[in-house]
Amino acid sequence: MAANTPAGIDKEQAFGMAETEMEYRVELFNRLAQTCFNKCVDKRYKESELNMGENSCIDRCVSKYWQVNGMIGQMLSAGGRPPM
């Protein structure tokens, strides 16, 4: 067993867990990009680059998305339930 794998987990299990984590991260990024793009970018492209309003909106959207994702992760890891 490698020194950096938790006790009771072999290399194949650790690799599988890392692969699952990577798939989760890719899916999270794709959802984040799609959500913020749909919310912030005008459907009729007028310019080749984002304008100041779109940049600001995307910045706020990404920040809120990560903040909420972190809060949910903390609640799930603590076994807590979201407030109703």
Side-chain angles (χ1 to χ4, degrees), residues 2-73:
N4 59 352
T5 58
I9 297 178
D10 63 19
K11 282 186 177 184
E12 283 187 37
Q13 287 175 318
F15 182 75
M17 289 169 58
E19 189 174 30
T20 301
E21 177 71 15
M22 186 61 151
E23 289 170 0
Y24 164 75
R25 296 286 178 175
V26 168
E27 179 64 28
L28 178 67
F29 175 79
N30 288 337
R31 268 185 284 149
L32 166 73
Q34 192 64 45
T35 299
C36 292
F37 180 85
N38 289 339
K39 180 180 179 183
C40 298
V41 178
D42 190 8
K43 305 303 178 243
R44 295 170 285 131
Y45 299 115
K46 300 173 190 169
E47 304 167 9
S48 62
E49 297 190 15
L50 297 174
N51 63 40
M52 188 180 300
E54 292 168 334
N55 270 324
S56 176
C57 179
I58 288 174
D59 188 44
R60 285 190 311 272
C61 180
V62 169
S63 177
K64 288 178 184 178
Y65 201 97
W66 280 119
Q67 183 180 16
V68 169
N69 186 273
M71 289 168 56
I72 291 171

